[in-house]
Amino acid sequence: MTPRKRLIIFTTLFCITIVIFSSSMILGKHLSLEAKVQATTINKSTYRIHKTKLMNIEVKGNSLNTFFQTKSAARVIYLTFDDGPTEYTEGILKILHTHQIKSTFFMLNENMIKRPEIVENVVADGHAIGCHGVTHRVSNFYKTMTSPREEMDTCAKTLESVSGKSSKIVRVPFGSFPNLTSAQKIELDKADYVMWDWNVDSNDWKIDNPKTITQSVLTQVQKLLKKDKVPVILFHDKEITAKVLPQIIEELKDLGYEFLPINENDIPVQFQIHS
């Protein structure tokens, strides 16, 4: 084969290779573009279908959506009352009933025995009841490792016999800090008691000035609001409490709070226990 023929064959093969390669590139780009167009079209179509479904759901379920938005936006707060029932508990119940809100009462054993009808009224009104012990004395309640549990056992039996309701919610006298030990707390836990302290102290047990109590409660709640924490307010079944309660409730309502009774499944607010 002459050099001329070799050159012709080589040139022909080279040209064929270029044509095939160019055709492949064009075809590949076309297929890629077509796939992209199809994918975009499918996505837009799916979005339109999904959007239409959402619009239909929103229109049909408008009331339901509004309900859930309202519930999720609500700020929860717990009002709690210690040492009852007393001669002032009925007045507190009337205030709560007027404002259509629920709360939690931590009651003492002897007071429930003295005023069983009030205990029944608390339950009938839909409030939660917990035990506050028997003696309400530091020297007695925290005397031994098992004394807190034993007092709560006695209190719980009285509560159930008087009201017909059982409760595992408890609040130890004067709060768990600094008197309750970790060993005593373990005993309460083993008996399935759910212990609650508080993060807002109304100081109604030592202050007799309505304005001071009201301002103190609202200031403490505002601080917790900034930290996005649920307030648990400590009140007592006292005359001064009944006086300040209506204004405090109105102010808390204006802040958007929803008043709930404590449930045994709620995560409790507790002080740090000493070992």
Side-chain angles (χ1 to χ4, degrees):
M1 183 180 296
T2 63
R4 178 181 175 80
K5 287 184 178 181
R6 289 197 187 97
L7 181 60
I8 293 172
I9 293 172
F10 176 81
T11 302
T12 302
L13 291 174
F14 180 79
C15 290
I16 292 172
T17 302
I18 292 296
V19 171
I20 293 173
F21 178 79
S22 299
S23 299
S24 299
M25 289 294 291
I26 294 171
L27 180 60
K29 287 182 178 181
H30 174 73
L31 291 174
S32 176
L33 179 61
E34 184 178 16
K36 186 175 181 180
V37 170
Q38 286 180 345
T40 304
T41 304
I42 291 171
N43 288 339
K44 285 183 177 179
S45 177
T46 305
Y47 172 75
R48 283 196 296 270
I49 294 171
H50 182 60
K51 185 177 181 181
T52 302
K53 288 181 178 179
L54 286 177
M55 289 175 67
N56 289 336
I57 291 172
E58 186 175 353
V59 171
K60 293 178 181 178
N62 185 52
S63 298
L64 188 62
N65 289 338
T66 302
F67 170 77
F68 280 113
Q69 287 170 2
T70 303
K71 287 294 284 185
S72 61
R75 296 167 177 160
V76 172
I77 193 167
Y78 298 102
L79 304 185
T80 67
F81 300 88
D82 285 10
D83 298 353
T86 70
E87 59 186 303
Y88 304 108
T89 305
E90 286 284 17
I92 292 172
L93 287 175
K94 289 178 182 178
I95 294 169
L96 297 174
H97 178 74
T98 298
H99 290 274
Q100 293 296 296
I101 62 177
K102 307 301 179 185
S103 63
T104 304
F105 290 82
F106 290 99
M107 296 188 171
L108 288 169
N109 188 75
E110 299 307 312
N111 289 350
M112 286 191 287
I113 294 173
K114 290 178 182 178
R115 296 182 173 90
E117 70 285 351
I118 298 181
V119 180
E120 294 174 357
N121 291 341
V122 170
V123 173
D125 284 355
H127 302 288
I129 297 185
C131 282
H132 197 38
V134 179
T135 62
H136 206 274
R137 294 178 182 175
V138 171
S139 58
N140 289 343
F141 188 89
Y142 300 100
K143 187 176 183 179
T144 68
M145 184 180 72
T146 60
S147 55
R149 177 185 56 76
E150 290 167 355
E151 284 210 16
M152 291 306 181
D153 286 344
T154 300
C155 190
K157 288 178 182 177
T158 299
L159 171 60
E160 186 168 5
S161 67
V162 170
S163 69
K165 300 287 184 180
S166 61
S167 176
K168 286 294 185 178
I169 301 169
V170 300
R171 172 173 285 163
V172 297
F174 309 104
S176 61
F177 178 85
N179 299 301
L180 190 72
T181 67
S182 57
Q184 291 171 336
K185 174 64 165 53
I186 290 173
E187 285 294 313
L188 291 172
D189 291 341
K190 289 196 303 186
D192 294 326
Y193 288 117
V194 184
M195 187 192 72
W196 280 77
D197 287 308
W198 59 87
N199 51 24
V200 176
D201 189 347
S202 70
N203 290 304
D204 60 352
W205 53 277
K206 67 177 181 178
I207 297 176
D208 198 36
N209 186 308
K211 185 176 180 180
T212 302
I213 293 175
T214 300
Q215 189 58 50
S216 174
V217 168
L218 295 177
T219 299
Q220 293 176 71
V221 169
Q222 287 281 9
K223 290 180 180 179
L224 293 176
L225 179 59
K226 292 178 181 178
K227 297 178 182 179
D228 199 27
K229 291 185 177 181
V230 175
V232 180
I233 306 179
L234 170 66
F235 289 112
H236 295 80
D237 292 27
K238 296 172 66 67
E239 183 178 14
I240 187 67
T241 308
K243 289 181 179 179
V244 302
L245 200 54
Q247 183 181 349
I248 290 176
I249 289 173
E250 290 294 348
E251 296 281 358
L252 294 175
K253 281 184 174 181
D254 289 342
L255 291 174
Y257 279 107
E258 177 185 9
F259 301 80
L260 295 180
I262 289 175
N263 185 286
E264 291 182 4
N265 295 320
D266 292 334
I267 299 175
V269 169
Q270 296 179 347
F271 300 145
Q272 186 174 357
I273 307 299
H274 278 185
S275 58

